[in-house]
Amino acid sequence: MATSYDYAPLFRSSVGFDRVFNLLENAQRARSINDWPPYDIVKTGDDSYRISIAVAGFAQDDLDITFQSNLLTVTGKKQEAATEAYLHRGIAGRPFEHRFELADHVRVNGADLKNGLLSVDLVREVPEEMKPRKIAIETAATLEPSAPPAQIEAQKAA
């Protein structure tokens, strides 16, 4: 049973959150039943993350990692050797594709394949102009004295 949410009331009362609603809709639609191969997402620091995917049996040439406009895609397609005749096949080698929506300012820092785990390191780098900055508060004594206000002279009543 799939549950569908109506975001129309939220659209009416919010401005500038279109991307968030699109992410929610895409997450509902693209969520696959099959989460093979298994993966972990770990926060390794304040602004760093690691995605580890269990890709036992896949070589480096069988894997492809692409990053485009906040979407990280990891695909694997094992090249079969036609001469092998399996008596039992317990290690899955079927093709897969995992998609990860990344937040703004998150970029891929590198990838490593070791002991059957593909690790993709991510880092969030917020631009300097978007970071909070401290504003100095000046007092009246430190401000330059301004010219005295202009006085309007009233005519004397006779």
Side-chain angles (χ1 to χ4, degrees), residues 20-158:
V20 173
F21 297 131
N22 289 340
L23 288 173
L24 290 170
E25 287 177 358
N26 289 342
Q28 278 183 310
R29 191 177 7 207
R31 180 75 179 152
S32 67
I33 297 170
N34 186 5
D35 277 338
W36 187 86
Y39 63 91
D40 292 335
I41 302 174
V42 180
K43 185 170 184 173
T44 57
D46 287 341
D47 290 323
S48 58
Y49 307 87
R50 179 178 301 122
I51 299 173
S52 298
I53 304 173
V55 291
F58 284 84
Q60 187 172 347
D61 295 336
D62 300 334
L63 301 169
D64 186 40
I65 302 171
T66 56
F67 175 67
Q68 182 178 359
S69 63
N70 295 6
L71 181 66
L72 174 68
T73 306
V74 180
T75 56
K77 184 170 184 185
K78 196 169 181 181
Q79 296 162 8
E80 293 293 325
T83 60
E84 297 174 344
Y86 288 95
L87 299 177
H88 171 75
R89 187 164 190 175
I91 300 173
R94 61 185 179 269
F96 70 89
E97 180 177 285
H98 277 302
R99 294 173 180 249
F100 302 94
E101 284 281 346
L102 303 181
D104 292 335
H105 313 299
V106 173
R107 68 173 181 84
V108 177
N109 200 25
D112 181 36
L113 179 62
K114 186 185 231 180
N115 295 331
L117 281 178
L118 174 66
S119 297
V120 181
D121 293 319
L122 307 169
V123 64
R124 180 176 48 194
E125 294 178 340
V126 179
E128 202 59 41
E129 61 270 5
M130 296 193 72
K131 291 182 180 176
R133 58 187 174 106
K134 187 139 177 99
I135 307 297
I137 301 172
E138 298 182 19
T139 60
T142 60
L143 295 175
E144 293 182 25
S146 59
Q151 298 266 339
I152 298 177
E153 293 186 25
Q155 293 180 350
K156 293 184 178 179

